[in-house]
Amino acid sequence: MPVKQAFSSEVRLLTADDFTQVFQNGCCKAGDNAFLLLARHNQLEQPRLGLVIAKKQLKRAVDRNRVKRIARESFRHQLQALAGVDVVVLCRSGAFGLDMAEIRHHMNRLFDKIVRLNNP
């Protein structure tokens, strides 16, 4: 039986104020035609992730859920390198029609760029 990896509340951006802080005081960003990642240093030990996957960009719930699942997976792989950083993932119109491998490739590349920008 596979081990369940819960996405606990300690590693999520939960309030509107958390998201606003990242949008207004972001220190770095990484993006392409499909996704945009905004990052900001926080005062905590662990990184936190927020997801903004708009229905306007991806109409079907199954597509939005797929993007969220892959974003969380990519985030988990970077937990150690992203310590003390809040990251918000935004979906752009280029995400429409991407398959799982392409989404995973975009996410991994963008998270790697955020890590490089935060750890010069």
Side-chain angles (χ1 to χ4, degrees):
M1 188 159 201
V3 176
K4 185 173 182 176
Q5 295 179 352
F7 192 61
S8 67
S9 62
E10 290 85 30
V11 294
R12 290 188 313 212
L13 294 176
L14 297 174
T15 65
D17 187 50
D18 291 340
F19 281 90
T20 302
Q21 289 295 322
V22 177
F23 289 134
Q24 292 180 351
N25 305 317
C27 65
C28 57
K29 62 182 175 179
D32 56 21
N33 65 334
F35 303 101
L36 174 66
L37 273 63
L38 302 172
R40 160 189 189 276
H41 294 285
N42 64 28
Q43 304 300 321
L44 307 170
E45 297 291 322
Q46 74 273 358
R48 297 187 300 174
L49 177 67
L51 299 167
V52 181
I53 311 301
K55 194 174 187 179
K56 182 176 180 180
Q57 304 301 335
L58 295 173
K59 303 285 188 223
R60 298 183 328 157
V62 66
D63 295 331
R64 293 191 302 276
N65 291 338
R66 178 179 295 125
V67 168
K68 291 177 192 179
R69 188 171 52 249
I70 294 170
R72 287 190 294 263
E73 178 187 343
S74 295
F75 178 75
R76 272 191 210 101
H77 289 297
Q78 300 287 351
L79 280 178
Q80 296 295 74
L82 287 171
V85 176
D86 290 342
V87 179
V88 173
V89 176
L90 293 113
C91 187
R92 290 181 167 168
S93 59
F96 178 74
L98 296 178
D99 65 14
M100 286 184 73
E102 292 169 328
I103 295 169
R104 189 172 285 114
H105 173 72
H106 283 272
M107 288 291 173
N108 289 336
R109 192 169 44 80
L110 294 174
F111 272 110
D112 287 342
K113 186 173 180 182
I114 292 292
V115 168
R116 284 194 313 274
L117 291 172
N118 282 304
N119 300 319

